[in-house]
Amino acid sequence: MPEFTADETARPRIPDPPPPGGARWLPGGPTGLGTSGLRFPAADQPPVPGLDEDDGHVPGELGALTGGFSLTAAPAAERRYGLAPLVYRERDWGDGSYPPLYCPDTVRVDEGLADEVDRRLAVWAERVGIHDGRMEEFRDTGYGRLAMLTHPDSDDPDMLLVAAQMNAAWWAADDYYADESALGATPTELPPRLALVMSAMDPPPPAGDYTRQLEDVIRADPVLVSLRSATSHLTRHATPSQVMRACNTTFQMYVSWTAYAAWRYLETLPPVWRYLAARQHDSFYTSMTLIDIVGGYELPANLFYDRRFHTALMQAGTASVIVNDLHSVAREAADELPDSNLVLLIAAEENCSTREATERAVSLHNDFVRGFETSQRNLATIPSTELKRFLRGAQGWMAGCLEWHGSSSRYQS
């Protein structure tokens, strides 16, 4: 199937959501006998939040732009990197003393581009307030570099900033709500906090003074502000289908977070099989939903949610999150309420050393990557340029993820 031209891959302009001052209002309320006390005065209805004017968006990075979508970047990236699958190899990691990880080579390392995305990200983070008092540590983490490494088919810093913002906001929720006791993470508060995250990213219909109370809470919490602002920037570059895909995958991930919270609260170690069942839905699959958005194209929903592709992307996402577990062992073991970690759980369940558990986790990672390799080969018969590009993008994401974990200050013990 021939590759699409710029005109064929261009998407029509999608109008921006209504701004706060011009949003639609709810009707005055129910009518009929006995309902007068349930009515909301129409003039007092708060608007549905629109785009955040300060979400970090800088338009016009690469060539002509229409409605936020680049007409030149996507085909240029395809020509630069092609659509053929990347080659796999065994890659050393950590101190080099453990068995290698089966993974493609990193596609693109551009430190200048990473620095620019990280600069923009830091400006945005200071504005929304996440990691206040910890900005130096935040800058050293390098979420902009993560975006540069894992989305090699885009050279546009504004598009890469979308991925950097979403990942930084997801990680902030993980740190402050779920994992880091020193930052206020408390298992019993996690579920109601996550419910507010869903309302920050996907605002519910206005409900009078109740919505005002909700808005007051959201605006007072930097994590919620960051997630709302990052979603705003995402919306500038994505179709409605892609935006809701990212939102719903985030909310799916939260089901696993509540399981971890219960295990922490009860101080109970789950069996490895149960942890993996949860971890596969709390993986870098969530981050990978941004691949086509950052790349400036769209994989149609009926292909994205096709069981064969879904399985492939879950394999890639789970493999990458095992990389995270491998690099997080010391960090997570040191918390007063240790979070679940594949290596630590294998060691406890099998009564083996950390090294033996690490070797088993590496083997599991390699099995998932080989599973993805097989899935990608089976999907190659489908005549879709977007599908081939997304699958290659998932390979690039796995490769860049491994590169980033080996260099980010967050995972250096």
Side-chain angles (χ1 to χ4, degrees):
M1 180 177 181
E3 296 183 8
F4 293 143
T5 65
D7 290 339
E8 291 171 323
T9 57
R11 292 175 290 184
R13 187 184 191 282
I14 296 177
D16 292 339
R24 294 187 296 272
W25 309 98
L26 275 178
T31 60
L33 185 63
T35 61
S36 59
L38 299 177
R39 295 183 186 178
F40 300 132
D44 293 337
Q45 287 300 316
V48 176
L51 291 177
D52 176 2
E53 294 181 358
D54 296 319
D55 59 18
H57 174 59
V58 179
E61 295 293 345
L62 287 176
L65 294 172
T66 301
F69 303 138
S70 173
L71 304 185
T72 60
E78 286 181 8
R79 287 194 297 272
R80 178 176 177 185
Y81 297 112
L83 297 174
L86 301 173
V87 176
Y88 294 87
R89 72 175 179 88
E90 293 187 335
R91 294 179 58 177
D92 290 334
W93 64 281
D95 62 7
S97 65
Y98 296 100
L101 292 166
Y102 186 65
C103 191
D105 272 325
T106 303
V107 177
R108 187 263 310 276
V109 178
D110 184 336
E111 301 298 355
L113 180 58
D115 289 346
E116 174 60 19
V117 179
D118 271 319
R119 183 192 66 78
R120 298 182 187 201
L121 183 68
V123 171
W124 170 80
E126 288 180 337
R127 188 189 69 77
V128 299
I130 55 170
H131 301 295
D132 185 32
R134 303 173 67 240
M135 281 302 298
E136 184 175 352
E137 180 180 348
F138 174 74
R139 289 188 181 93
D140 289 344
T141 300
Y143 292 109
R145 188 169 191 270
L146 173 67
M148 177 276 294
L149 290 169
T150 56
H151 295 278
D153 59 349
S154 176
D155 296 317
D156 186 337
D158 191 53
M159 302 291 264
L160 294 171
L161 181 62
V162 172
Q165 289 171 320
M166 292 297 293
N167 280 288
W170 283 323
W171 250 291
D174 196 31
D175 287 348
Y176 287 90
Y177 292 171
D179 282 356
E180 305 291 338
S181 300
L183 298 179
T186 306
T188 54
E189 293 183 14
L190 179 63
R193 281 174 159 176
L194 295 182
L196 288 179
V197 169
M198 291 192 288
S199 291
M201 294 179 68
D202 182 18
D209 285 339
Y210 301 120
T211 296
R212 287 192 183 85
Q213 295 173 55
L214 170 64
E215 284 298 302
D216 287 344
V217 172
I218 290 175
R219 290 168 181 162
D221 186 331
V223 173
L224 300 179
V225 174
S226 70
L227 283 159
R228 170 175 286 181
S229 183
T231 304
S232 168
H233 194 190
L234 172 74
T235 301
R236 295 179 186 273
H237 292 289
T239 67
S241 174
Q242 289 173 313
V243 173
M244 291 313 301
R245 176 215 294 170
C247 287
N248 290 334
T249 303
T250 300
F251 309 153
Q252 168 185 299
M253 176 174 70
Y254 292 159
V255 177
S256 296
W257 288 19
T258 58
Y260 306 151
W263 296 332
R264 295 184 79 190
Y265 178 74
L266 298 171
E267 298 184 12
T268 300
L269 294 178
V272 173
W273 70 264
R274 186 176 287 277
Y275 170 71
L276 283 174
R279 196 57 160 151
Q280 291 181 75
H281 292 89
D282 167 36
S283 74
F284 285 121
Y285 171 90
T286 307
S287 298
M288 291 177 182
T289 63
L290 307 177
I291 286 174
D292 57 345
I293 299 171
V294 177
Y297 64 100
E298 181 176 19
L299 180 64
N302 282 339
L303 278 177
F304 185 89
Y305 290 108
D306 183 284
R307 171 53 60 181
R308 294 165 294 175
F309 176 80
H310 178 72
T311 296
L313 202 61
M314 291 287 279
Q315 289 167 324
T318 304
S320 291
V321 89
I322 291 175
V323 170
N324 181 269
D325 275 12
L326 290 168
H327 285 85
S328 302
V329 173
R331 178 188 181 95
E332 292 177 348
D335 196 289
E336 63 181 63
L337 281 176
D339 193 26
S340 298
N341 176 286
L342 179 61
V343 175
L344 298 177
L345 291 177
I346 291 174
E349 185 172 301
E350 301 295 335
N351 193 27
C352 64
S353 68
T354 301
R355 180 171 188 86
E356 290 174 307
T358 298
E359 292 174 354
R360 296 189 187 191
V362 167
S363 178
L364 190 58
H365 166 277
N366 293 345
D367 287 344
F368 276 117
V369 174
R370 289 190 172 91
F372 174 86
E373 186 178 17
T374 299
S375 295
Q376 184 177 21
R377 188 162 52 246
N378 292 339
L379 287 164
T381 58
I382 298 176
S384 168
T385 299
E386 298 93 341
L387 179 62
K388 291 179 173 60
R389 187 173 176 193
F390 204 119
L391 288 166
R392 182 186 171 95
Q395 288 185 286
W397 215 104
M398 287 189 285
C401 174
L402 177 55
E403 183 83 26
W404 182 75
H405 276 83
S407 58
S408 172
S409 63
R410 182 182 176 92
Y411 300 101
Q412 307 307 307
S413 58

